[in-house]
Amino acid sequence: MKNKKWNREFPAVPQSVHQSVLDTLASLDVQEAKKVKKMKKRTVILLAAAMIAVLGVTAAAAGIFQWHDRAGEVFEAEPAVQEKLVLKEVAQPAYQTVSDNGLTISAIQTIQDEVCFYALFEVVAEEESFWEDKEFIDMEFTMDFAGKENPFGAFSCGFASHREEESSQSRYYELFGTKTEEEEQELDMNIHFTALQVEGEKKMIMENVLEGSWEFSLNVHPAESVRFEINRAYEIAGQSVTVLAVELSPLSVRLYCDGADAKALEQKLGLNLDQLDELPMYICGVKYQDGTVIEEEIYLGLSEGYGSGDYMKAARFSHVIEVEKAAALLVGEDRVEVSLQN
């Protein structure tokens, strides 16, 4: 193995956080604080708890970690909404950097809920001209999940499109995963990058142009979904379909319908899900209680199919949703409003 440098990068702590810690210390009993050697166990516990609370909650609020611009393009959200997901540990910093063989890879951010997973890495080359003539590039890597089964039913990865205003020495690499419905717990995953690849002389055949070892360990906390029991019939694509339930998170949605109704729609339209056809149950957006509509300009379907007699369609939002404001889900080309309110 080549020489490998491990380095965890943490941003500077804002002055407001330092001041918060000082204020917390000042609120403790001054007399006991002076008698350090005789400090009571309870005071030590209180001090530790206070510092953890200040550094944990205040740090996030003070902006120690902010969403990366690239992640904000994938999951569009206002700063206040982004901060909510940071505090809920849905969006997390990675703060891991590994350098080897002239290439430095940094794990920047992860975002996930019970359905979808996203990880963002920055790949930086020491030589400014490194990326020239490397149009079709990819990374070779392996993954393991702390002894557990692979939680992803679908997985994709690749370099994001590079823009002129971005650094000429760096590129962004992204991982996208769709988890199986059963995998709703926290996700522990180890990612080991082993090579940078380019397209060879034979099209679609990738060849290694730089090898190394860049290993990362990620622990990602899923966002919990809110389940709305519907049990109402709606006319979708000319067919009466009973919507059983909707599970909504800030990042994704799962729509559950009566299996017999979905089969009838499938037959009526001459479709076959077993042959990779797709029912027109597209998620077009979410309507808020105040009438605001969060449009989904691009449909980002994740999975669909039958299970236990019911039909389920999962999709990811491009705009982060504020679940507590949701009043209706817009479904199909006719934008049928599936009410989420009793």
Side-chain angles (χ1 to χ4, degrees), residues 22-272:
L22 292 175
D23 292 342
T24 302
L25 292 174
S27 68
L28 297 175
D29 188 323
V30 176
Q31 295 302 318
E32 288 199 358
K34 288 181 179 179
K35 300 177 182 178
V36 177
K37 293 183 179 180
K38 297 182 180 180
M39 188 179 292
K40 294 181 180 179
K41 184 177 180 181
R42 178 175 177 274
T43 304
V44 175
I45 294 174
L46 288 173
L47 174 59
M51 293 186 70
I52 290 171
V54 170
L55 289 174
V57 178
T58 308
I64 283 185
F65 169 66
Q66 299 292 335
W67 274 36
H68 192 275
D69 290 343
R70 173 57 194 168
E73 293 175 1
V74 178
F75 298 92
E76 298 180 25
E78 296 297 322
V81 177
Q82 291 180 348
E83 184 174 309
K84 285 182 182 179
L85 296 193
V86 171
L87 293 174
K88 292 180 179 179
E89 297 183 287
V90 177
Q92 294 179 289
Y95 295 149
Q96 297 176 54
T97 297
V98 183
S99 297
D100 192 14
N101 204 10
L103 208 65
T104 297
I105 303 180
S106 298
I108 299 175
Q109 183 170 356
T110 59
I111 301 173
Q112 97 158 357
D113 66 1
E114 295 175 346
V115 178
C116 61
F117 168 81
Y118 171 80
L120 176 65
F121 296 83
E122 184 177 25
V123 184
V124 181
E126 291 182 2
E127 298 181 9
E128 291 189 9
S129 60
F130 178 81
W131 299 105
E132 294 179 4
D133 303 323
K134 291 183 175 65
E135 183 177 356
F136 299 102
I137 54 176
D138 203 350
M139 296 295 297
E140 183 179 63
F141 63 90
T142 60
M143 295 190 302
D144 69 75
F145 304 91
K148 297 181 180 179
E149 294 293 324
N150 186 338
F152 299 119
F155 193 86
S156 63
C157 55
F159 280 95
S161 299
H162 185 69
R163 296 195 297 261
E164 292 183 1
E165 66 269 21
E166 296 174 336
S167 169
S168 61
Q169 291 179 254
S170 68
R171 296 292 186 272
Y172 293 115
Y173 196 78
E174 299 170 306
L175 307 180
F176 295 87
T178 301
K179 291 183 285 183
T180 59
E181 191 172 0
E182 292 76 19
E183 286 294 336
E184 298 181 351
Q185 70 266 18
E186 290 192 2
L187 181 64
D188 292 308
M189 59 189 300
N190 299 309
I191 303 172
H192 188 193
F193 294 99
T194 55
L196 178 76
Q197 301 180 316
V198 299
E199 188 176 58
E201 294 182 0
K202 294 183 179 180
K203 296 296 183 181
M204 305 302 291
I205 301 297
M206 304 300 289
E207 298 178 352
N208 294 351
V209 293
L210 187 150
E211 297 182 351
S213 180
W214 304 268
E215 192 167 355
F216 301 87
S217 179
L218 303 178
N219 176 267
V220 193
H221 179 77
E224 293 184 1
S225 299
V226 176
R227 184 178 177 91
F228 299 88
E229 300 294 341
I230 310 299
N231 295 311
R232 285 196 292 270
Y234 293 88
E235 186 170 313
I236 300 175
Q239 173 70 36
S240 177
V241 177
T242 299
V243 177
L244 302 175
V246 170
E247 290 183 354
L248 197 63
S249 91
L251 309 179
S252 66
V253 59
R254 282 177 286 188
L255 176 69
Y256 295 90
C257 300
D258 180 83
D261 292 348
K263 285 284 187 182
L265 178 60
E266 189 177 352
Q267 184 176 5
K268 178 179 180 178
L269 299 177
L271 302 175
N272 189 337

